[in-house]
Amino acid sequence: MERILHDISYLKQIMDISSETLILISGEGVCLDICSHTDLWFLQEEFILGKNILSLLPAHTYHKLIADFQDVLINKKTTTNSFRLPLHDYTYYGECKLMPFEGNVLCRYTDITNRENVKLKLTQAYEEMQEIQNVAKIGKWSLDTETNMIDYSGFCGDESEVKDMPISVDYYMQHFIIPEDREKMQIWLERILKHPYKQRISYRISVKQKIYYMSVKCIYRDKDKQQKHSSKIEGIVQDVTEMHKRRNDISMLTHVIFNANESICGVYADGTLKFANQIF
C-alpha cells in the first residue's frame, strides 16, 4: 500500500489543497514569512511580508490579540481565539491559532467571515423574534406525556405568566384554571394525546385574583429517540387578555349604539353611509 500522505514529494501539493494560511511572526510582531492559502487581500505577501503585523491591526483587534501573542512568546503555550477585523469598509472575522516556533510565533489563520455573518444574522433574527414574542405575549408550550407536566416560557405575560414551571397538570388545573374551564381543558388534554396536531384551546386562569385569557395551539410531538415514541407535545401559548378585553369593549359599544333611543349613524368623508342603528 502506497502511503501517499507520508511521501514528502506530495507535501506541497497536499498543503496547497488542505492548508490554512501560515504566518511566521517575530517577537516584535514583524512578518518573517507567510504561506498564503487565501484570496484575502490583507494576507498576501506583497502586503504583509516584512511588515509589523501588530501595528497594522485595528486597535480593537490589537488589544484582544496581544495578550495571546505574549502568552505564546513567554509561556510557550498554544492559543486559539477568534477576532474581528474591521478593515476599510468591510468587517472580516478570523480564527488565529498561535504556536511557539523557534523563538517566534507561528500563526495559522482561518477565515470565518461567512460563518460569523450567518451567526450574526441568526442572532438578529432571534432577537427580533424575541421582541415580537414579548409584544404579542407569545411563548413555547409543552406537555410531557410521561411525567404529566406542563411547561411554557418565552413570553412576557406579566402576572399571568406562571413562574414555577414546569408544574403538574393536576396542580395547574386546581390552582390556576378557573373552575368553569377545567372540564373543557380536561377534554382537550385527552384529545391531544390522540391527535395533537393543530389542536387549539382557549381558557382562563386566575393569578393573584385577576383573570387572564390564554390560548394554546399544539404544533407537533417531540419523539424520544431512545424510547421510540412520542413523550412530549409542543406548541405555542399566548396571553390574549388584552385582545379579549378589546373585543368585549367593541361588543358593548355596538350593543349600546344599536339599542340607543336616539338615531346614531356614521358616514364616510364622501357622505356614504357607513352604519346606522335601528332608530335611524
Side-chain angles (χ1 to χ4, degrees), residues 141 149-153 161-167 172 176:
W141 179 94
M149 302 287 281
I150 286 179
D151 190 11
Y152 61 80
S153 61
E161 183 178 358
V162 181
K163 301 297 183 182
D164 299 323
M165 287 289 183
I167 58 176
Y172 191 59
F176 292 100

Side-chain angles (χ1 to χ4, degrees), residues 3-265:
R3 302 292 299 276
I4 292 177
L5 296 179
H6 291 74
D7 190 336
I8 196 168
S9 63
Y10 289 97
L11 181 60
K12 186 178 185 309
Q13 183 180 351
I14 293 172
M15 286 186 64
D16 288 340
I17 295 172
S18 61
S19 293
E20 302 289 350
T21 295
L22 296 176
I23 309 169
L24 185 63
I25 310 170
S26 72
E28 293 75 31
V30 176
C31 176
L32 302 175
D33 198 3
I34 179 171
C35 183
S36 181
H37 292 277
T38 178
D39 294 330
L40 294 173
W41 60 270
F42 58 88
L43 290 177
Q44 304 307 312
E45 285 189 14
E46 58 270 22
F47 179 80
I48 201 172
L49 187 61
K51 297 181 180 179
N52 190 304
I53 294 178
L54 299 180
S55 66
L56 296 175
L57 293 174
H60 169 271
T61 310
Y62 171 83
H63 290 299
K64 189 174 181 182
L65 178 65
I66 192 63
D68 285 353
F69 187 84
Q70 292 175 343
D71 195 24
V72 174
L73 273 178
I74 297 171
N75 301 315
K76 310 301 180 184
K77 292 183 178 180
T78 296
T79 67
T80 302
N81 215 331
S82 299
F83 302 92
R84 181 170 60 90
L85 286 168
L87 299 174
H88 293 178
D89 296 328
Y90 191 76
T91 298
Y92 300 88
Y93 295 88
E95 182 180 84
C96 292
K97 183 175 183 179
L98 303 179
M99 301 160 280
F101 185 80
E102 300 293 329
N104 302 303
V105 175
L106 182 62
C107 171
R108 187 188 72 188
Y109 183 92
T110 304
D111 180 52
I112 58 172
T113 302
N114 289 337
R115 186 181 76 188
E116 290 299 310
N117 284 338
V118 170
K119 185 190 297 185
L120 180 61
K121 289 181 180 179
L122 290 175
T123 301
Q124 291 174 339
Y126 175 77
E127 291 175 351
E128 290 173 1
M129 183 59 67
Q130 287 288 95
E131 187 61 27
I132 292 171
Q133 287 179 338
N134 288 340
V135 173
K137 298 183 180 180
I138 297 175
K140 292 176 61 178
W141 179 94
S142 66
L143 169 66
D144 191 319
T145 58
E146 296 294 319
T147 62
N148 209 32
M149 302 287 281
I150 286 179
D151 190 11
Y152 61 80
S153 61
F155 75 101
C156 297
D158 303 323
E159 294 182 12
S160 67
E161 183 178 358
V162 181
K163 301 297 183 182
D164 299 323
M165 287 289 183
I167 58 176
S168 70
V169 171
D170 291 341
Y171 187 89
Y172 191 59
M173 293 275 277
Q174 293 300 319
H175 292 82
F176 292 100
I177 299 179
I178 67 171
E180 293 84 353
D181 288 350
R182 290 173 187 170
E183 182 179 357
K184 177 174 68 172
M185 171 61 82
Q186 187 62 50
I187 294 172
W188 182 78
L189 289 171
E190 293 172 358
R191 186 165 66 246
I192 65 174
L193 291 176
K194 301 176 183 178
H195 306 289
Y197 186 61
K198 289 187 177 181
Q199 294 283 1
R200 184 189 294 271
I201 186 174
S202 295
Y203 61 95
R204 293 163 292 176
I205 62 174
S206 175
V207 180
K208 297 181 180 179
Q209 299 182 339
K210 291 182 65 176
I211 300 298
Y212 296 89
Y213 292 78
M214 312 301 292
S215 176
V216 176
K217 181 180 180 181
C218 296
I219 303 297
Y220 65 96
R221 280 182 180 266
D222 183 21
K223 293 187 176 181
D224 189 311
K225 295 181 179 178
Q226 294 182 343
Q227 299 181 13
K228 296 182 180 180
H229 67 271
S230 301
S231 62
K232 185 177 288 187
I233 300 171
E234 298 192 355
I236 56 175
V237 60
Q238 183 176 17
D239 179 352
V240 295
T241 305
E242 288 301 317
M243 287 185 283
H244 194 275
K245 182 177 181 298
R246 292 192 189 99
R247 186 165 59 243
N248 285 346
D249 291 344
I250 292 172
S251 297
M252 183 179 296
L253 180 61
T254 302
H255 177 79
V256 171
I257 290 173
F258 279 88
N259 291 277
N261 295 324
E262 298 82 13
S263 296
I264 300 176
C265 68

